Amino acid sequence: MELNHPMFQLKDLSSLWQSTIGLEKESLRLKQDGNLSDYPHSAEWGTRTQQPYIQTDFADSQLELITPPVKTAKEAIKWLAASHQIVQTTMTEQHDDELLWPFSGPGLLPDDPDVIKIAQLENPDEYKYRAYLAEVYGKPVQLLCGIHYNFQINPALIEAKVSELNQNLSIKEVTNDLYLTLGRNYLRYRWLLTYFLGATPYLADNYSTNLFGAPKESTMRSFRQSQYGYQNDPDLSISYASLEAFVTDVEKAVTSGQLSLEKELYRDVRFRGQEQYRKLITDGIKYIEFRNFDLNPLDPYGITREDIIFTKLFILTMLYIPQIERDEEVELGNIMNHVVAATDSLAPLAYKEEGLELLTAMQTIARTLDEQQLTDGFFEKIVADRIPLLETPELTLGGKIILEIEEKAKAKGVKAQDYFLEYGLDLARQHKKTYLDRPYNLHGFEIYEISTQHLLTYAMKAGIEIEELDASENLVRLSYNGHSELVKNANMTSFDTQISYFVMENKVATKKILAENGIHVPAGDSFTSFEEASQYFPLIGFEQFVVKPKNTNYGIGISIFKAHPSRENYEEALQIAFAEDETVLIEAFVPGTELRFYVQNGEVHAICERQPAQVKGDGHSSVSELIERVNTDPLRGSNHRAPLVEIGKGRLEQLQLKAQQLSLDSIPDKDQVVYLRENSNISTGGLAIDRTDEVHQDYKDLAIKSAKALGANFCGIDLIIKDFSHPIQSENDYAAIEANFNPAIMIHLFPEQGKPRLLGIPVLQQLFPEAPVR
């Protein structure tokens, strides 16, 4: 096929590749036995009128998971991974017997269709519309699930090309013409995608449609794409010759009663962006929706990254091949697609020659993209891998599924149709494990630190929109119903001022302000040079003391001496501290239990005791080996992307070992606890124990008073307390040692002992009191 376009040239492909895509993936909620779930759509997922990520389609048990517009397949999978995890986690917490059915066609249907509950939507008109669909088409048809692939041609490129070719052209009219041409070409050749990706080989035995009855065939490549799927009355005729003709035909169908509403038009191409089709002419098409994708049951998210990329390459190819203009050619495409869909998955392809022509054209597109984006043949390989499938239907998705079901059914001595349900449920259980793996991460968003992942999880659940501004900085914009908030590190927001951050970051200033407000702080002094601090050694009046940088976070650069150290060890601690800041504090070590108070908006929401990084001896392993063993815990990781941090073997750890007359090569006695750090920060390998319900109110009030003195809405107040279960008798009962503008929600989420505190919830409730955050 000749590749030519009146506006786009092959050199424009890199800009066209920046066109955005978005996926809408439907799935049925099932019980473990395969019956439709009768549990209602969870209130945990927010209100359906405001939820951009988790919706229902026809039935109350039919979920629709939606990605925002993105530019890459990787980003699309990221959003699908997160929404699947949130949905499955909620279902498991509430009932534990729900699964997401992986196929497009139901494997089991109730004998009484009235059992199928229509989505309980807030809008009564939407409910009435679904009730109408059930009556006209039958409820089983409405349970068919698939993926809708949305595509928006890069608008900046369209504007640039109009400016380059003829500035007198209307951008709206050019855009409409581009989408109409793309839609016609797609309808003509989409059969190729059905051949490669069709994956609805079986249906429940009692499946039928009101228009076409029960299927006469036992298996197809795609029942969903056949006449037994989403099909209007065959007498309905819609022209694609022009946008005016299309809109006029749809309006006539609604007026005559062939369609109840414009959106009842079931076509594999839908022009989107306006509430009414007539406004497409006046206000323009914004994007195009392709609706012919079966769920890939072998993939936990219903579509693979490679198939998303292959489809995008196919769409771009549709822009460059000769334009389809006549309705007769569009109708030919419809016929060819029905033939491919209705053919057995293992039957030879009837259109091999045209399929090869299309793949050859796609290879040109792919090869050009590889050259422009320096991808070393990545795109071309995705296309080339499909060529053998034209001759070997067994290698298509439908072919693989049929062969696997037949093989397993044969081993069990049953018919393939009878094994379909069991096969699908096995896949659903496998996918459930994928969704629930690594519960401390928000799947797809692992680049963020754990606290931010936690916040984003509850934002998605509540239907609060997420805009990623800078993932490396954990900076996002959250929006709900026109209200937006910027958030960094999960709890740095507009509710706090920059000056409060500066004060809390500066330990000298923090101590001074707290002391002025009657809050006891450790005695000590500060130094701005190594020489000055070194000379202070003989003047240190504390048997136990701390060396730490003035400005630090995560416990970096802190050394604690519980016995008076040698000058050598003292100066090594100074070097470590001065490496982090120009000012170093020497202050008395206060004995007692160190507690972190998480304060928000004048209220203590969580308290945890932090214990230093430690290992326990087994009598034959070295300290180094014990550290390596502890670090194999799947909850431990680096860069705050896991609940616990790996224990290090650096200078501070070795200094702490030296204070215990040990080294990394030492072999501790069985059950001997060896501390690798004196400071108890989780960020240096420590452990957390929840104490929220055990600490006396006096200390909670003290933490609230400290936060108020520092002008902080969100903060972490660190107190050393002799006995946190008893009231304060004197200032010697405690000392405030630090305040944190980034109090690290994560340390309260996965305590070693005690109750997790889900602090992202109160954060969002304060930011968005109008949102249904639970």
Side-chain angles (χ1 to χ4, degrees):
M1 289 181 175
E2 181 183 356
L3 296 184
N4 188 23
H5 191 275
M7 176 175 289
F8 299 129
Q9 299 173 308
L10 289 179
K11 68 180 179 64
D12 298 317
L13 273 170
S14 279
S15 294
L16 276 170
W17 192 251
Q18 295 303 305
S19 299
T20 55
I21 61 174
L23 303 180
E24 303 167 33
K25 188 252 187 180
E26 301 156 340
S27 296
L28 294 176
R29 292 187 289 117
L30 302 184
K31 295 289 191 67
Q32 290 282 347
D33 60 3
N35 282 298
L36 290 174
S37 174
D38 54 3
Y39 299 123
H41 183 89
S42 176
E44 292 286 322
W45 301 327
T47 63
R48 282 175 273 199
T49 54
Q50 293 289 343
Q51 173 56 268
Y53 306 113
I54 304 169
Q55 281 286 344
T56 44
D57 201 310
F58 169 79
D60 213 48
S61 58
Q62 188 178 39
L63 287 170
E64 185 174 28
L65 306 182
I66 305 166
T67 78
V70 296
K71 292 183 179 179
T72 68
K74 181 179 179 181
E75 290 177 282
I77 293 296
K78 172 179 78 174
W79 287 94
L80 286 178
S83 58
H84 279 81
Q85 179 193 23
I86 289 170
V87 161
Q88 186 66 72
T89 299
T90 303
M91 294 192 306
T92 301
E93 289 173 349
Q94 293 182 344
H95 310 296
D96 198 30
D97 62 342
E98 277 189 300
L99 300 168
L100 292 180
W101 179 245
F103 278 92
S104 284
L108 185 64
L109 286 171
D111 292 329
D112 180 5
D114 289 339
V115 173
I116 301 173
K117 190 175 183 180
I118 296 172
Q120 304 298 292
L121 302 177
E122 292 91 342
N123 186 335
D125 290 337
E126 286 293 332
Y127 180 86
K128 290 177 183 177
Y129 172 64
R130 283 164 171 75
Y132 161 82
L133 295 178
E135 182 178 348
V136 174
Y137 298 95
K139 285 187 175 181
V141 177
Q142 305 306 314
L143 293 182
L144 292 175
C145 295
I147 286 184
H148 298 171
Y149 193 114
N150 300 304
F151 180 81
Q152 182 186 47
I153 302 172
N154 185 349
L157 177 61
I158 296 176
E159 290 185 22
K161 299 302 289 187
V162 168
S163 178
E164 173 188 326
L165 297 173
N166 185 346
Q167 294 185 11
N168 294 323
L169 292 173
S170 162
I171 292 177
K172 178 195 69 180
E173 291 178 2
V174 168
T175 302
N176 281 352
D177 185 64
L178 284 170
Y179 280 120
L180 192 66
T181 300
L182 175 58
R184 286 194 298 257
N185 281 11
Y186 188 92
L187 288 170
R188 169 62 180 81
Y189 296 111
R190 74 192 185 280
W191 64 263
L192 185 67
L193 294 176
T194 301
Y195 175 73
F196 288 138
L197 304 178
T200 316
Y202 300 105
L203 290 171
D205 289 334
N206 55 343
Y207 179 91
S208 66
T209 79
N210 288 358
L211 293 180
F212 301 99
K216 298 178 177 59
E217 300 81 358
S218 61
T219 180
M220 285 186 181
R221 183 177 301 281
S222 174
F223 276 105
R224 178 179 171 274
Q225 279 285 290
S226 75
Q227 65 177 341
Y228 303 107
Y230 282 102
Q231 300 294 325
N232 296 116
D233 191 300
D235 292 334
L236 178 64
S237 178
I238 303 293
S239 173
Y240 287 84
S242 69
L243 188 56
E244 176 65 40
F246 170 80
V247 172
T248 299
D249 280 354
V250 173
E251 290 175 341
K252 287 180 179 178
V254 173
T255 302
S256 67
Q258 284 183 293
L259 298 176
S260 64
L261 297 171
E262 291 182 347
K263 64 182 178 180
E264 189 191 339
L265 179 67
Y266 290 149
R267 291 290 190 269
D268 289 340
V269 166
R270 180 175 282 180
F271 303 114
R272 303 296 296 238
Q274 307 300 336
E275 291 183 5
Q276 295 178 329
Y277 281 142
R278 176 61 57 180
K279 288 188 176 182
L280 294 175
I281 299 173
T282 58
D283 298 341
I285 300 170
K286 302 303 180 185
Y287 65 98
I288 192 168
E289 179 183 20
F290 304 114
R291 302 162 59 86
N292 58 300
F293 297 90
D294 288 354
L295 299 182
N296 179 344
L298 306 181
D299 187 272
Y301 311 121
I303 189 169
T304 66
R305 174 173 172 262
E306 291 74 18
D307 288 341
I308 295 173
I309 295 171
F310 180 81
T311 300
K312 194 171 184 180
L313 290 170
F314 179 86
I315 293 168
L316 293 189
T317 304
M318 294 298 101
L319 284 171
Y320 280 91
I321 61 175
Q323 296 184 15
I324 296 297
E325 297 180 348
R326 297 182 300 114
D327 285 333
E328 291 81 1
E329 294 179 276
V330 171
E331 182 56 29
L332 175 61
N334 293 335
I335 293 169
M336 295 174 74
N337 190 60
H338 280 162
V339 168
V340 172
T343 304
D344 185 275
S345 298
L346 301 179
L349 175 63
Y351 313 119
K352 294 177 189 176
E353 184 175 342
E354 186 171 86
L356 185 57
E357 288 182 26
L358 287 168
L359 289 181
T360 302
M362 288 183 66
Q363 279 190 301
T364 301
I365 297 293
R367 193 178 301 116
T368 305
L369 267 176
D370 283 325
E371 292 170 357
Q372 293 176 359
Q373 301 197 2
L374 306 177
T375 49
D376 196 26
F378 171 77
F379 293 115
E380 186 175 7
K381 184 178 186 304
I382 284 181
V383 178
D385 286 347
R386 306 288 171 141
I387 294 176
L389 278 60
L390 295 176
E391 292 286 348
T392 315
E394 293 86 354
L395 298 178
T396 64
L397 178 58
K400 290 178 181 178
I401 293 169
I402 284 285
L403 288 175
E404 186 169 347
I405 290 178
E406 288 181 348
E407 180 183 355
K408 291 187 175 182
K410 183 178 180 181
K412 288 181 170 287
V414 298
K415 294 180 180 179
Q417 170 69 43
D418 296 337
Y419 182 67
F420 171 52
L421 177 63
E422 182 180 344
Y423 176 79
L425 289 173
D426 285 344
L427 286 176
R429 294 184 186 103
Q430 292 174 31
H431 295 339
K432 179 179 179 178
K433 291 180 181 179
T434 299
Y435 306 146
L436 298 180
D437 185 37
R438 296 176 292 104
Y440 52 84
N441 284 133
L442 175 59
H443 293 183
F445 288 78
E446 292 86 351
I447 189 173
Y448 292 91
E449 51 85 29
I450 290 291
S451 298
T452 304
Q453 292 183 49
H454 169 69
L455 185 79
L456 296 183
T457 298
Y458 283 90
M460 284 189 72
K461 283 181 68 173
I464 297 171
E465 290 188 65
I466 299 165
E467 180 184 353
E468 300 179 82
L469 300 179
D470 189 336
S472 64
E473 292 291 332
N474 295 285
L475 183 61
V476 299
R477 180 187 286 117
L478 304 179
S479 303
Y480 186 83
N481 201 22
H483 169 199
S484 295
E485 296 283 350
L486 296 173
V487 182
K488 177 177 168 59
N489 293 99
N491 44 222
M492 298 170 68
T493 76
S494 60
F495 283 99
D496 282 306
T497 64
Q498 189 176 32
I499 195 64
S500 69
Y501 292 161
F502 288 151
V503 168
M504 286 185 279
E505 187 178 43
N506 187 310
K507 299 187 186 307
V508 173
T510 297
K511 289 178 61 177
K512 183 175 178 63
I513 290 174
L514 292 180
E516 289 173 349
N517 282 271
I519 298 166
H520 182 230
V521 297
D525 213 333
S526 61
F527 303 90
T528 57
S529 73
F530 176 85
E531 292 73 18
E532 184 184 12
S534 176
Q535 293 169 7
Y536 183 68
F537 180 71
L539 303 176
I540 296 174
F542 320 116
E543 182 64 25
Q544 300 179 328
F545 62 93
V546 180
V547 179
K548 61 184 180 181
K550 179 181 69 173
N551 298 320
T552 187
N553 208 351
Y554 303 121
I556 297 172
I558 297 176
S559 301
I560 299 175
F561 296 103
K562 289 188 177 180
H564 210 282
S566 66
R567 188 171 195 126
E568 177 186 5
N569 286 352
Y570 170 70
E571 291 186 344
E572 185 175 0
L574 290 178
Q575 290 174 350
I576 292 170
F578 273 112
E580 302 298 331
D581 199 287
E582 295 179 352
T583 300
V584 166
L585 281 66
I586 313 295
E587 61 184 28
F589 173 78
V590 179
T593 302
E594 180 180 345
L595 298 178
R596 161 68 61 84
F597 291 70
Y598 179 87
V599 182
Q600 176 189 329
N601 194 26
E603 182 179 350
V604 173
H605 286 268
I607 305 170
C608 75
E609 174 187 346
R610 298 178 297 170
Q611 294 189 352
Q614 57 192 265
V615 294
K616 182 180 288 187
D618 59 10
H620 57 80
S621 300
S622 69
V623 172
S624 180
E625 291 170 334
L626 291 169
I627 291 173
E628 291 171 2
R629 193 175 305 154
V630 167
N631 285 343
T632 61
D633 184 341
L635 292 181
R636 288 192 182 269
S638 58
N639 299 320
H640 313 291
R641 266 65 178 178
L644 300 176
V645 176
E646 293 176 349
I647 299 175
K649 300 180 184 179
R651 292 175 64 190
L652 278 173
E653 285 81 10
Q654 293 183 53
L655 188 62
Q656 179 61 27
L657 287 171
K658 189 184 298 185
Q660 301 170 80
Q661 289 79 50
L662 296 170
S663 71
L664 290 171
D665 296 326
S666 299
I667 300 176
D669 295 337
K670 182 174 174 55
D671 296 329
Q672 178 185 352
V673 177
V674 177
Y675 292 99
L676 283 304
R677 287 283 186 124
E678 193 64 59
N679 66 296
S680 56
N681 296 69
I682 306 301
S683 54
T684 55
L687 301 174
I689 300 173
D690 180 67
R691 301 293 189 190
T692 307
D693 298 328
E694 303 172 43
V695 174
H696 193 277
Q697 186 63 39
D698 279 3
Y699 297 104
K700 296 179 182 179
D701 293 341
L702 188 69
I704 294 169
K705 181 181 179 181
S706 300
K708 184 177 180 180
L710 297 167
N713 181 81
F714 295 101
C715 73
I717 301 295
D718 293 344
L719 301 179
I720 297 286
I721 304 173
K722 287 184 179 179
D723 187 343
F724 56 75
S725 64
H726 286 74
I728 298 174
Q729 299 295 325
S730 74
E731 68 172 22
N732 293 326
D733 289 341
Y734 74 92
I737 60 171
E738 194 170 315
N740 300 267
F741 63 81
N742 182 14
I745 282 175
M746 61 178 283
I747 69 175
H748 301 280
L749 300 178
F750 299 91
E752 183 77 5
Q753 300 174 30
K755 179 181 177 181
R757 305 291 169 168
L758 306 179
L759 299 178
I761 295 176
V763 171
L764 291 170
Q765 287 173 336
Q766 184 178 2
L767 290 173
F768 298 96
E770 72 276 23
V773 180
R774 294 177 174 86

